[in-house]
Amino acid sequence: MKTPGPTGQGLRLIPFRGLRYVPERVGSLAAVTSPPYDVVVRPDGLHHLESADPHNIVRLILPQADTAAARQEQAAETLNRWLDEGILVPENEPALYVYEQRSGEILQRGIVGALALSSPADGIVLPHEDVMAHVVEDRANLMRTTAAHLEPLLLTYRSEGDPTGATAVIERTIHRPPLLATTTEDGYRHRLWAVTDPADRSEIETDLARHQALIADGHHRWATYLRLQQEHTDPGPWDFGLVLLVDTARYPLRVRAIHRLLHRLPVADALAALNGTFRVRDIEEPLPMALDALAEAAAEGNAFLLAGDGRFHLVDRPDEALLARTIPADRPLAWRTLDATVLHATLLDHVWQIPDSPERIAYIHDTEAAVEQAERRNATAVLMHPVREEVVRDLARQGVTMPRKSTSFGPKPATGLVLRSLALG
């Protein structure tokens, strides 16, 4: 994606004074990192991270208290205490950062910086998913109270694939000793370098100014950035947001599905409500083989895998008349045929009549966790098949947003390696 938006401008990435953990003040860098806030499986994953190290970043991104206001204040107090105690320290000078993640054959490299904010109408940063108002409200309260960007969004752009511009700087920088290197418990090795040379920074900024980006992960945080920018009318640090930019022509991302957990719907009731509107087949196989069956069915049309009663149920071949009645006809065909569209417009809204609220639906990235929680709670897990990246990009270029939580791009940046304080400018 290299065409600048309607404004004629492209991406504007500037350096910032990063906040980083002082390795000598914590158990290990790996022990203080976390997945993004919306990937942490609560409460088990939250408790695991909290117990990994008393300074784990999860205490800032997912603070625990009795009320929302108390949670935000607790995060701000914790951040300020860690700064006072020298647990977190700002860099001496502004920098862009080269960030590398590696696990086996998976290699991802990109640039972390403060990106100038722009509206979707500008065509510079393209969202592809809808957002939930209550999540934006929660993230806005946290950012406002802490005056910090605690975790970078993941944005992608596409170059011509040549080792020039930002890519050239990245591939020169990785031969230097990194600022930090750590391996997290998921097996990923993380390395971070500061880019402070004016010529290198200029090369990156000039290159990125020719491109537009797709939000791969962090729609709610991007919407939060825009909301808080509107609250601060004077030009300043709120006009920029912390991001990781990855050139997928050089480092392709993986696209995974995000599953749904329907809290108050047992599997038996979910199946009974289908009443012949979908084909249903029981899969008497373990999870990996059930997912293979889902992938095979998804290649032919809409398909879902229901779990929660100790078995798997493949749901596919929806009734065409039902789809015609329940799916809006004023969107592109690629949108109307998305599994997420059919799930929300047909199954959730019409067949099961379940409102999209946190009390009724949870969004879970990990497949095994979704199945386990459904079985433990007598609920229904709806396992999804991933959307192809080219479908996401095509819809984003058309300005068409997908249903919320339709995709999970990765690998996602680890939270806690570098933070951005808005108090530092």
Side-chain angles (χ1 to χ4, degrees):
M1 304 176 74
K2 65 175 183 177
T3 306
T7 60
Q9 301 172 345
L11 301 168
R12 182 185 172 210
L13 192 72
I14 67 169
F16 67 102
R17 290 179 63 194
L19 297 181
R20 294 195 296 112
Y21 281 99
V22 176
E24 295 77 15
R25 300 300 307 276
V26 297
S28 71
L29 289 176
V32 295
T33 63
S34 164
Y37 77 97
D38 58 337
V39 180
V40 176
V41 179
R42 291 175 272 188
D44 296 347
L46 180 64
H47 293 160
H48 174 73
L49 291 166
E50 287 180 329
S51 62
D53 188 283
H55 302 105
N56 188 282
I57 194 69
V58 77
R59 297 180 186 274
L60 301 184
I61 63 173
L62 290 173
Q64 299 301 295
D66 293 336
T67 67
R71 288 194 294 272
Q72 320 310 337
E73 290 297 333
Q74 178 177 295
E77 291 171 2
T78 301
L79 174 59
N80 290 332
R81 185 174 69 254
W82 290 356
L83 289 169
D84 291 342
E85 294 175 353
I87 305 299
L88 287 167
V89 173
E91 303 280 14
N92 292 326
E93 60 180 320
L96 298 174
Y97 296 88
V98 170
Y99 176 45
E100 177 188 272
Q101 295 163 271
R102 184 190 293 270
S103 178
E105 297 180 354
I106 299 172
L107 174 63
Q108 179 170 289
R109 294 178 180 138
I111 303 288
V112 176
L115 184 69
L117 304 181
S118 58
S119 72
D122 293 329
I124 299 171
V125 176
L126 304 178
H128 70 268
E129 288 184 356
D130 293 331
V131 297
M132 294 174 274
H134 74 277
V135 178
V136 175
E137 176 73 17
D138 176 72
R139 292 295 101 182
N141 289 336
L142 180 64
M143 288 186 199
R144 189 185 298 111
T145 307
T146 59
H149 293 160
L150 302 173
E151 45 188 338
L153 282 65
L154 174 60
L155 273 61
T156 72
Y157 69 99
R158 291 191 68 82
S159 72
E160 298 298 328
D162 300 324
T164 58
T167 296
V169 175
I170 290 172
E171 295 186 1
R172 291 197 300 268
T173 301
I174 60 171
H175 295 293
R176 305 197 325 249
L179 288 176
L180 64 85
T182 189
T183 301
T184 47
E185 65 179 6
D186 58 4
Y188 275 90
R189 178 171 174 79
H190 307 262
R191 296 197 293 172
L192 190 77
W193 296 260
V195 178
T196 56
D197 181 82
D200 286 342
R201 287 182 0 197
S202 177
E203 189 172 356
I204 291 171
E205 293 164 19
T206 300
D207 180 24
L208 293 178
R210 302 182 299 111
H211 295 282
Q212 60 183 176
L214 175 75
I215 300 177
D217 185 69
H219 284 81
H220 289 89
R221 282 165 283 162
W222 182 259
T224 302
Y225 288 169
L226 296 178
R227 175 171 174 172
L228 295 177
Q229 181 189 36
Q230 292 176 349
E231 297 178 5
H232 296 78
T233 54
D234 294 334
W238 296 94
D239 293 323
F240 297 82
L242 181 63
V243 305
L244 165 65
L245 276 165
V246 174
D247 175 8
T248 54
R250 302 286 292 184
Y251 303 104
L253 272 66
R254 295 176 299 156
V255 186
R256 292 182 172 178
I258 301 177
H259 311 296
R260 276 66 169 161
L261 179 66
L262 311 182
H263 292 301
R264 304 176 190 172
L265 184 67
V267 174
D269 293 347
L271 295 173
L274 294 176
N275 193 28
T277 56
F278 286 73
R279 183 176 69 168
V280 178
R281 290 176 288 162
D282 289 349
I283 306 296
E284 303 291 343
E285 303 288 353
L287 179 57
M289 298 183 71
L291 292 174
D292 289 341
L294 173 62
E296 183 178 343
E300 303 296 328
N302 300 117
F304 313 92
L305 198 64
L306 305 190
D309 61 352
R311 296 183 295 171
F312 299 104
H313 310 272
L314 183 61
V315 175
D316 65 355
R317 297 189 182 179
D319 177 72
E320 292 296 333
L322 174 64
L323 297 182
R325 292 197 310 273
T326 57
I327 295 179
D330 60 347
R331 302 288 185 90
L333 178 63
W335 183 89
R336 300 197 307 270
T337 55
L338 288 170
D339 285 340
T341 298
V342 173
L343 172 62
H344 284 263
T346 303
L347 285 170
L348 293 176
D349 291 351
H350 182 79
V351 175
W352 293 327
Q353 298 182 3
I354 297 176
D356 192 356
S357 65
E359 297 77 22
R360 301 300 299 275
I361 303 176
Y363 293 83
I364 300 180
H365 292 71
D366 184 84
T367 308
E368 293 182 355
V371 174
E372 188 274 331
Q373 289 196 37
E375 292 179 347
R376 177 153 47 95
R377 302 177 182 183
N378 190 30
T380 295
V382 182
L383 306 183
M384 311 283 288
H385 186 68
V387 183
R388 290 179 293 113
E389 182 177 355
E390 54 266 32
V391 173
V392 177
R393 291 188 180 277
D394 182 58
L395 288 172
R397 288 191 183 101
Q398 297 179 59
V400 178
T401 54
M402 300 164 64
R404 59 186 63 115
K405 300 294 182 181
S406 293
T407 62
S408 176
F409 283 82
K412 304 179 190 302
T415 299
L417 296 182
V418 62
L419 290 63
R420 178 176 180 245
S421 169
L422 288 100
L424 293 176

